[in-house]
Amino acid sequence: AQRVTQPEKLLSVFKGAPVELKCNYSYSGSPELFWYVQYSRQRLQLLLRHISRESIKGFTADLNKGETSFHLKKPFAQEEDSAMYYCALGSGNQFYFGTGTSLTVIP
Amino acid sequence: DTEVTQTPKHLVMGMTNKKSLKCEQHMGHRAMYWYKQKAKKPPELMFVYSYEKLSINESVPSRFSPECPNSSLLNLHLHALQPEDSALYLCASSQRAAGEPGAQYFGPGTRLLVL
């Protein structure tokens, strides 16, 4: 069963514009949710985890249990934000990745 | 040392070869993972080791054989692979043992090409 949904395969925004990458999940318990980023030719890096409620590189994500969402947001996109972003859900022994959103920030 | 390292970076092998991929972490993490990642796709879980014991095998063909010699090392032995096995193989570790979700930290991967 699909656990994590990222509806946008590709997303393009202009530099300085706000960006939101969508993530919805289906899980009956208390999920642990993460955002990972993969820059070109670099390793998959942990960006955010919902339990820490922090802001990394200007990105934030809030867990909305009512809407079962964990959208990633940044108020002003930068060119260096261009990358592949994966939402992931941790559950027991498993770690479920969404299909990813490729973000391009246009100068 | 706060990174997961993997060797080799690149590997080309024939279908009759035997090779091994290596992964190492010195963060004291209790769980280690092998993933396979095709281009523009998310990582697919292959194996999970928790406290050096295999806890998950995601129906991976027997031509892939994992090994965890100790808590810092994870190997993936390859034998009689097929061209469709060509992919980026990622190793990850997490502080919490499998069964307790926690953030996973990924190595840079080994890019494998099977001819």
Side-chain angles (χ1 to χ4, degrees), chain A residues 18-60:
Chain A
V19 61
E20 182 180 52
L21 290 85
K22 291 184 168 48
C23 173
N24 288 89
Y25 66 91
S26 60
Y27 185 68
S28 56
S30 293
E32 198 164 357
L33 285 153
F34 308 87
W35 275 100
Y36 282 84
V37 60
Q38 194 168 29
Y39 300 103
S40 179
R41 299 189 175 278
Q42 291 189 29
R43 72 178 68 199
L44 202 58
Q45 300 173 35
L46 176 66
L47 183 62
L48 286 174
R49 50 194 307 180
H50 88 272
I51 59 171
S52 54
R53 300 182 64 81
E54 59 199 337
S55 172
I56 303 290
K57 300 185 181 184
F59 285 98
T60 58

Side-chain angles (χ1 to χ4, degrees), chain B residues 17-32:
Chain B
N17 291 159
K18 280 186 182 180
K19 296 284 184 184
S20 296
L21 309 185
K22 294 185 187 303
C23 174
E24 195 164 356
Q25 59 88 13
H26 294 287
M27 296 178 279
H29 287 178
R30 302 170 187 173
M32 295 184 77

Side-chain angles (χ1 to χ4, degrees), chain B:
Chain B
D1 188 347
T2 57
E3 280 198 342
V4 177
T5 58
Q6 290 185 246
T7 55
K9 283 189 177 177
H10 302 274
L11 180 61
V12 180
M13 61 187 290
M15 290 190 283
T16 58
N17 291 159
K18 280 186 182 180
K19 296 284 184 184
S20 296
L21 309 185
K22 294 185 187 303
C23 174
E24 195 164 356
Q25 59 88 13
H26 294 287
M27 296 178 279
H29 287 178
R30 302 170 187 173
M32 295 184 77
Y33 309 78
W34 279 116
Y35 287 86
K36 175 182 177 180
Q37 187 180 26
K38 291 279 201 179
K40 306 286 188 188
K41 299 288 186 185
E44 300 170 36
L45 184 65
M46 299 175 73
F47 302 104
V48 180
Y49 273 83
S50 173
Y51 291 101
E52 302 163 46
K53 286 187 169 33
L54 184 64
S55 63
I56 290 182
N57 176 340
E58 287 286 356
S59 303
V60 180
S62 59
R63 56 186 186 269
F64 295 91
S65 174
E67 179 198 16
C68 190
N70 60 56
S71 59
S72 301
L73 291 174
L74 187 65
N75 297 323
L76 185 63
H77 302 299
L78 314 172
H79 174 55
L81 294 195
Q82 304 296 310
E84 59 263 29
D85 296 323
S86 299
L88 182 68
Y89 287 85
L90 297 171
C91 174
S93 69
S94 66
Q95 188 172 16
R96 292 184 242 180
E100 304 170 0
Q104 294 189 14
Y105 297 88
F106 286 82
T110 293
R111 194 162 297 281
L112 174 67
L113 178 62
V114 182
L115 300 176

